[in-house]
Amino acid sequence: MKYNIHIGSLIKEQFDKRGCTVAWLARQLNCDRTNIYGIFQRETIDIKRLHEIGQALDYDFLTEVAQRLNVTEE
């Protein structure tokens, strides 16, 4: 099943809105700056990593993705 959500683009959008640097986000995620650029290019990502990125950027990516998929909580 293919979804029209490019998670790297969503992350990059919030990253840009926050106005932080790649070096800052890399420190928050305990990774190298090159990994951050790779994240921006990814179409998919592990949910745990997405949650960590969301915490660093103070944004709820999980809810955003659920809404885009039209998933409702029961």
Side-chain angles (χ1 to χ4, degrees), residues 12-53:
K12 178 75 163 84
E13 181 181 325
Q14 291 306 313
F15 169 84
D16 290 341
K17 285 181 182 179
R18 183 162 163 77
C20 54
T21 65
V22 170
W24 175 85
L25 186 55
R27 282 192 305 274
Q28 300 305 304
L29 300 176
N30 295 317
C31 67
D32 191 78
R33 292 181 321 132
T34 57
N35 293 42
I36 302 301
Y37 293 112
I39 287 170
F40 295 155
Q41 300 302 315
R42 294 187 62 126
E43 187 173 334
T44 62
I45 195 166
D46 180 78
I47 290 175
K48 181 180 177 191
R49 191 60 159 169
L50 183 60
H51 179 69
E52 293 168 349
I53 295 166

